[in-house]
Amino acid sequence: MVQHVEVRGERIPALGFGTWQLSGDAAHEGVRHALELGYRHIDTAQMYANEEEVGRAVRDSGVDRDEVFLTTKVPPRNLEPGVLERSHEGSLRALSMDRVDLLLIHWPSDRIPLGATLDAMRSLQEQGKTRHIGVSNFTPSLVREALRHAEVICNQVEYHPFLGQRALCELAVEQDLMLAAYSPLAKGRVAKDATLREIGAAHDKTPAQVALRWLVQQRNVAALPRSSSPTHRAENLDVFDFHLSDDEVKRIEELDRDQRLIDPGLAPDWER
């Protein structure tokens, strides 16, 4: 059974399905199959150009819409009030939905005041067009600034065994936020790591399953693996029937080498 992250009165599945770099039929079939397997947390974004396929997959899955926690994101170019509202209306049209469960700022902007963006997002929340709002790719100081303007519920960031996020994890627990980990398998690099392979062998699990278990075993952390493989989608969901020991967790934490793999030229100055 999938565990949940409980933050600010909301229960969110701790293992979700990411759709970055999935398009067309691959996005549709991936999301439809993920929901068939039991995923109930789906992550997309306007920048992924697959919202239409994701929305169609949710409808085609036969799963009740209210059972699916769906996230989308506003791109940096659309964070200005007025533009943001039109941008989100476009996302809802593409998804063929009247609301999403979580709307995120995809990347921070140094051009548009954060307070103005969050005010516009709070207005969308009050109108029922998103249940919750949050941020993505925010540093600890930016998260604290966001919290001064709105009740954000999530910060979504790159997080895997080779990129520790201790400061953001501690902040998530302190402020009762979800830290959602994208690229949790480090673009396939976890499969080649000797430590993860050894720990996996002890539990009859793959290195990827070990990395995902390590993430969802942490307080307030959810993981969003993406896979175009039906087999891997099923394996990624099968991480709730074993537990990593304190020693195993310590060994995985020691793999941190500040290896950041995602940077499309939109990143803030990262803080450690």
Tab-separated table of all heavy atoms in Angstrom, residues 230-263:
chain	number	residue	atom	x	y	z
A	230	PRO	N	6.976	-0.030	-18.806
A	230	PRO	CA	5.935	-0.575	-17.928
A	230	PRO	C	6.505	-1.369	-16.768
A	230	PRO	O	5.999	-1.282	-15.641
A	230	PRO	CB	5.111	-1.461	-18.872
A	230	PRO	CG	5.329	-0.875	-20.230
A	230	PRO	CD	6.750	-0.394	-20.222
A	231	THR	N	7.565	-2.145	-17.024
A	231	THR	CA	8.184	-2.945	-15.959
A	231	THR	C	8.747	-2.056	-14.871
A	231	THR	O	8.549	-2.297	-13.671
A	231	THR	CB	9.288	-3.842	-16.535
A	231	THR	OG1	8.721	-4.721	-17.501
A	231	THR	CG2	9.953	-4.650	-15.436
A	232	HIS	N	9.448	-1.009	-15.273
A	232	HIS	CA	10.042	-0.109	-14.284
A	232	HIS	C	8.987	0.684	-13.528
A	232	HIS	O	9.156	0.983	-12.344
A	232	HIS	CB	11.040	0.829	-14.956
A	232	HIS	CG	12.286	0.133	-15.405
A	232	HIS	ND1	13.150	0.680	-16.334
A	232	HIS	CD2	12.818	-1.065	-15.058
A	232	HIS	CE1	14.150	-0.156	-16.539
A	232	HIS	NE2	13.966	-1.222	-15.782
A	233	ARG	N	7.892	1.016	-14.218
A	233	ARG	CA	6.810	1.717	-13.509
A	233	ARG	C	6.286	0.857	-12.363
A	233	ARG	O	6.031	1.359	-11.262
A	233	ARG	CB	5.678	2.072	-14.469
A	233	ARG	CG	5.986	3.240	-15.390
A	233	ARG	CD	4.744	3.781	-16.060
A	233	ARG	NE	4.228	2.932	-17.117
A	233	ARG	CZ	4.568	3.028	-18.407
A	233	ARG	NH1	5.446	3.942	-18.793
A	233	ARG	NH2	4.023	2.234	-19.310
A	234	ALA	N	6.116	-0.419	-12.619
A	234	ALA	CA	5.635	-1.323	-11.572
A	234	ALA	C	6.675	-1.482	-10.470
A	234	ALA	O	6.345	-1.454	-9.275
A	234	ALA	CB	5.295	-2.680	-12.187
A	235	GLU	N	7.941	-1.632	-10.845
A	235	GLU	CA	9.009	-1.773	-9.846
A	235	GLU	C	9.111	-0.535	-8.964
A	235	GLU	O	9.304	-0.637	-7.746
A	235	GLU	CB	10.349	-2.032	-10.532
A	235	GLU	CG	10.484	-3.411	-11.142
A	235	GLU	CD	11.809	-3.605	-11.847
A	235	GLU	OE1	12.567	-2.615	-12.003
A	235	GLU	OE2	12.103	-4.755	-12.244
A	236	ASN	N	8.994	0.650	-9.572
A	236	ASN	CA	9.131	1.884	-8.806
A	236	ASN	C	8.060	2.032	-7.737
A	236	ASN	O	8.280	2.673	-6.705
A	236	ASN	CB	9.094	3.096	-9.739
A	236	ASN	CG	10.319	3.199	-10.629
A	236	ASN	OD1	11.339	2.564	-10.374
A	236	ASN	ND2	10.213	3.989	-11.674
A	237	LEU	N	6.898	1.457	-7.978
A	237	LEU	CA	5.808	1.538	-7.015
A	237	LEU	C	5.973	0.527	-5.880
A	237	LEU	O	5.385	0.696	-4.803
A	237	LEU	CB	4.472	1.299	-7.732
A	237	LEU	CG	3.189	1.660	-6.983
A	237	LEU	CD1	3.134	3.150	-6.660
A	237	LEU	CD2	1.970	1.256	-7.809
A	238	ASP	N	6.802	-0.469	-6.096
A	238	ASP	CA	6.942	-1.587	-5.152
A	238	ASP	C	8.070	-1.312	-4.155
A	238	ASP	O	9.076	-2.024	-4.103
A	238	ASP	CB	7.213	-2.877	-5.939
A	238	ASP	CG	7.223	-4.110	-5.054
A	238	ASP	OD1	6.602	-4.070	-3.966
A	238	ASP	OD2	7.863	-5.105	-5.451
A	239	VAL	N	7.894	-0.265	-3.348
A	239	VAL	CA	8.960	0.125	-2.413
A	239	VAL	C	8.438	0.291	-0.984
A	239	VAL	O	9.150	0.844	-0.128
A	239	VAL	CB	9.641	1.434	-2.867
A	239	VAL	CG1	10.341	1.245	-4.201
A	239	VAL	CG2	8.653	2.597	-2.929
A	240	PHE	N	7.248	-0.215	-0.725
A	240	PHE	CA	6.659	-0.009	0.593
A	240	PHE	C	6.601	-1.291	1.424
A	240	PHE	O	5.935	-1.327	2.464
A	240	PHE	CB	5.262	0.597	0.448
A	240	PHE	CG	5.282	1.972	-0.183
A	240	PHE	CD1	4.975	2.129	-1.524
A	240	PHE	CD2	5.650	3.084	0.561
A	240	PHE	CE1	5.009	3.396	-2.112
A	240	PHE	CE2	5.688	4.344	-0.021
A	240	PHE	CZ	5.366	4.495	-1.358
A	241	ASP	N	7.319	-2.322	0.973
A	241	ASP	CA	7.298	-3.592	1.709
A	241	ASP	C	8.648	-3.927	2.327
A	241	ASP	O	8.895	-5.070	2.709
A	241	ASP	CB	6.848	-4.728	0.789
A	241	ASP	CG	7.776	-4.936	-0.404
A	241	ASP	OD1	8.648	-4.064	-0.655
A	241	ASP	OD2	7.646	-5.972	-1.096
A	242	PHE	N	9.534	-2.940	2.434
A	242	PHE	CA	10.805	-3.166	3.119
A	242	PHE	C	11.247	-1.870	3.766
A	242	PHE	O	10.716	-0.785	3.475
A	242	PHE	CB	11.877	-3.719	2.175
A	242	PHE	CG	12.446	-2.714	1.192
A	242	PHE	CD1	13.757	-2.250	1.331
A	242	PHE	CD2	11.706	-2.265	0.104
A	242	PHE	CE1	14.297	-1.347	0.419
A	242	PHE	CE2	12.246	-1.379	-0.821
A	242	PHE	CZ	13.541	-0.914	-0.662
A	243	HIS	N	12.216	-1.974	4.666
A	243	HIS	CA	12.669	-0.805	5.427
A	243	HIS	C	14.189	-0.786	5.444
A	243	HIS	O	14.837	-1.818	5.628
A	243	HIS	CB	12.132	-0.882	6.855
A	243	HIS	CG	12.327	0.368	7.654
A	243	HIS	ND1	11.443	1.425	7.619
A	243	HIS	CD2	13.326	0.736	8.508
A	243	HIS	CE1	11.878	2.387	8.417
A	243	HIS	NE2	13.013	1.995	8.962
A	244	LEU	N	14.753	0.383	5.243
A	244	LEU	CA	16.202	0.538	5.303
A	244	LEU	C	16.634	0.786	6.743
A	244	LEU	O	16.016	1.582	7.464
A	244	LEU	CB	16.645	1.714	4.423
A	244	LEU	CG	16.360	1.578	2.935
A	244	LEU	CD1	16.658	2.891	2.212
A	244	LEU	CD2	17.178	0.437	2.319
A	245	SER	N	17.699	0.108	7.146
A	245	SER	CA	18.215	0.291	8.498
A	245	SER	C	18.927	1.633	8.623
A	245	SER	O	19.255	2.281	7.618
A	245	SER	CB	19.199	-0.837	8.842
A	245	SER	OG	20.380	-0.707	8.048
A	246	ASP	N	19.189	2.051	9.849
A	246	ASP	CA	19.917	3.304	10.067
A	246	ASP	C	21.280	3.264	9.396
A	246	ASP	O	21.735	4.267	8.827
A	246	ASP	CB	20.081	3.571	11.564
A	246	ASP	CG	18.763	3.916	12.253
A	246	ASP	OD1	17.786	4.225	11.538
A	246	ASP	OD2	18.720	3.880	13.498
A	247	ASP	N	21.939	2.105	9.449
A	247	ASP	CA	23.257	1.979	8.813
A	247	ASP	C	23.153	2.102	7.297
A	247	ASP	O	23.995	2.753	6.656
A	247	ASP	CB	23.884	0.630	9.183
A	247	ASP	CG	25.251	0.445	8.535
A	247	ASP	OD1	26.176	1.213	8.865
A	247	ASP	OD2	25.374	-0.454	7.676
A	248	GLU	N	22.119	1.488	6.723
A	248	GLU	CA	21.930	1.592	5.268
A	248	GLU	C	21.624	3.032	4.853
A	248	GLU	O	22.134	3.523	3.838
A	248	GLU	CB	20.815	0.642	4.827
A	248	GLU	CG	21.218	-0.823	4.910
A	248	GLU	CD	20.047	-1.768	4.719
A	248	GLU	OE1	18.894	-1.388	5.076
A	248	GLU	OE2	20.264	-2.902	4.244
A	249	VAL	N	20.800	3.706	5.644
A	249	VAL	CA	20.500	5.114	5.358
A	249	VAL	C	21.774	5.939	5.402
A	249	VAL	O	22.013	6.792	4.529
A	249	VAL	CB	19.462	5.650	6.369
A	249	VAL	CG1	19.366	7.175	6.275
A	249	VAL	CG2	18.101	5.020	6.124
A	250	LYS	N	22.619	5.688	6.387
A	250	LYS	CA	23.878	6.437	6.516
A	250	LYS	C	24.773	6.191	5.304
A	250	LYS	O	25.391	7.123	4.768
A	250	LYS	CB	24.595	6.036	7.799
A	250	LYS	CG	25.879	6.804	8.084
A	250	LYS	CD	26.424	6.442	9.455
A	250	LYS	CE	27.658	7.270	9.783
A	250	LYS	NZ	28.791	6.980	8.898
A	251	ARG	N	24.832	4.947	4.845
A	251	ARG	CA	25.656	4.636	3.667
A	251	ARG	C	25.152	5.373	2.432
A	251	ARG	O	25.950	5.840	1.612
A	251	ARG	CB	25.675	3.122	3.428
A	251	ARG	CG	26.412	2.332	4.493
A	251	ARG	CD	26.315	0.847	4.208
A	251	ARG	NE	27.006	0.502	2.962
A	251	ARG	CZ	26.857	-0.676	2.335
A	251	ARG	NH1	26.016	-1.575	2.822
A	251	ARG	NH2	27.518	-0.909	1.225
A	252	ILE	N	23.841	5.460	2.294
A	252	ILE	CA	23.275	6.175	1.139
A	252	ILE	C	23.545	7.668	1.260
A	252	ILE	O	23.909	8.321	0.273
A	252	ILE	CB	21.765	5.895	1.018
A	252	ILE	CG1	21.538	4.400	0.742
A	252	ILE	CG2	21.150	6.732	-0.104
A	252	ILE	CD1	20.092	3.962	0.817
A	253	GLU	N	23.402	8.213	2.447
A	253	GLU	CA	23.683	9.641	2.645
A	253	GLU	C	25.131	9.981	2.292
A	253	GLU	O	25.420	11.086	1.817
A	253	GLU	CB	23.392	10.041	4.088
A	253	GLU	CG	21.904	10.057	4.425
A	253	GLU	CD	21.631	10.328	5.891
A	253	GLU	OE1	22.588	10.224	6.703
A	253	GLU	OE2	20.475	10.634	6.221
A	254	GLU	N	26.029	9.039	2.488
A	254	GLU	CA	27.445	9.273	2.192
A	254	GLU	C	27.735	9.299	0.690
A	254	GLU	O	28.852	9.643	0.278
A	254	GLU	CB	28.305	8.211	2.883
A	254	GLU	CG	28.335	8.370	4.408
A	254	GLU	CD	29.002	7.209	5.120
A	254	GLU	OE1	29.274	6.166	4.438
A	254	GLU	OE2	29.241	7.305	6.341
A	255	LEU	N	26.740	8.962	-0.130
A	255	LEU	CA	26.919	9.028	-1.588
A	255	LEU	C	26.772	10.458	-2.123
A	255	LEU	O	27.085	10.716	-3.290
A	255	LEU	CB	25.875	8.140	-2.290
A	255	LEU	CG	25.951	6.640	-1.994
A	255	LEU	CD1	24.795	5.918	-2.677
A	255	LEU	CD2	27.282	6.061	-2.451
A	256	ASP	N	26.312	11.367	-1.269
A	256	ASP	CA	26.098	12.752	-1.696
A	256	ASP	C	27.406	13.370	-2.179
A	256	ASP	O	28.395	13.419	-1.442
A	256	ASP	CB	25.532	13.565	-0.526
A	256	ASP	CG	25.334	15.034	-0.871
A	256	ASP	OD1	25.322	15.371	-2.071
A	256	ASP	OD2	25.181	15.832	0.076
A	257	ARG	N	27.414	13.821	-3.432
A	257	ARG	CA	28.577	14.537	-3.956
A	257	ARG	C	28.148	15.805	-4.689
A	257	ARG	O	28.827	16.262	-5.604
A	257	ARG	CB	29.424	13.636	-4.853
A	257	ARG	CG	28.673	12.740	-5.823
A	257	ARG	CD	29.664	11.812	-6.511
A	257	ARG	NE	29.057	10.918	-7.462
A	257	ARG	CZ	28.692	9.670	-7.200
A	257	ARG	NH1	28.867	9.181	-5.976
A	257	ARG	NH2	28.169	8.901	-8.137
A	258	ASP	N	26.990	16.346	-4.263
A	258	ASP	CA	26.484	17.605	-4.811
A	258	ASP	C	26.415	17.545	-6.337
A	258	ASP	O	26.790	18.495	-7.026
A	258	ASP	CB	27.363	18.772	-4.355
A	258	ASP	CG	26.681	20.117	-4.545
A	258	ASP	OD1	25.433	20.138	-4.601
A	258	ASP	OD2	27.383	21.136	-4.656
A	259	GLN	N	25.941	16.421	-6.851
A	259	GLN	CA	25.881	16.200	-8.301
A	259	GLN	C	24.512	16.634	-8.826
A	259	GLN	O	23.539	15.900	-8.778
A	259	GLN	CB	26.127	14.721	-8.621
A	259	GLN	CG	26.228	14.434	-10.109
A	259	GLN	CD	26.515	12.967	-10.380
A	259	GLN	OE1	25.755	12.089	-9.978
A	259	GLN	NE2	27.610	12.699	-11.054
A	260	ARG	N	24.455	17.866	-9.348
A	260	ARG	CA	23.218	18.402	-9.883
A	260	ARG	C	23.158	18.095	-11.384
A	260	ARG	O	24.070	18.445	-12.130
A	260	ARG	CB	23.146	19.910	-9.639
A	260	ARG	CG	21.767	20.497	-9.805
A	260	ARG	CD	21.781	21.965	-9.409
A	260	ARG	NE	22.087	22.153	-8.006
A	260	ARG	CZ	21.213	22.016	-7.011
A	260	ARG	NH1	19.955	21.693	-7.291
A	260	ARG	NH2	21.567	22.201	-5.759
A	261	LEU	N	22.073	17.453	-11.816
A	261	LEU	CA	21.974	16.978	-13.194
A	261	LEU	C	21.003	17.797	-14.035
A	261	LEU	O	21.041	17.711	-15.264
A	261	LEU	CB	21.521	15.509	-13.197
A	261	LEU	CG	22.411	14.542	-12.413
A	261	LEU	CD1	21.769	13.162	-12.359
A	261	LEU	CD2	23.797	14.471	-13.016
A	262	ILE	N	20.145	18.575	-13.405
A	262	ILE	CA	19.114	19.325	-14.119
A	262	ILE	C	19.359	20.826	-13.944
A	262	ILE	O	19.301	21.334	-12.826
A	262	ILE	CB	17.704	18.992	-13.599
A	262	ILE	CG1	17.494	17.471	-13.526
A	262	ILE	CG2	16.642	19.652	-14.472
A	262	ILE	CD1	17.571	16.765	-14.847
A	263	ASP	N	19.630	21.505	-15.026
A	263	ASP	CA	19.777	22.959	-14.979
A	263	ASP	C	19.537	23.528	-16.372
A	263	ASP	O	20.455	23.588	-17.201
A	263	ASP	CB	21.163	23.358	-14.478
A	263	ASP	CG	21.259	24.860	-14.211
A	263	ASP	OD1	20.327	25.584	-14.623
A	263	ASP	OD2	22.245	25.293	-13.595
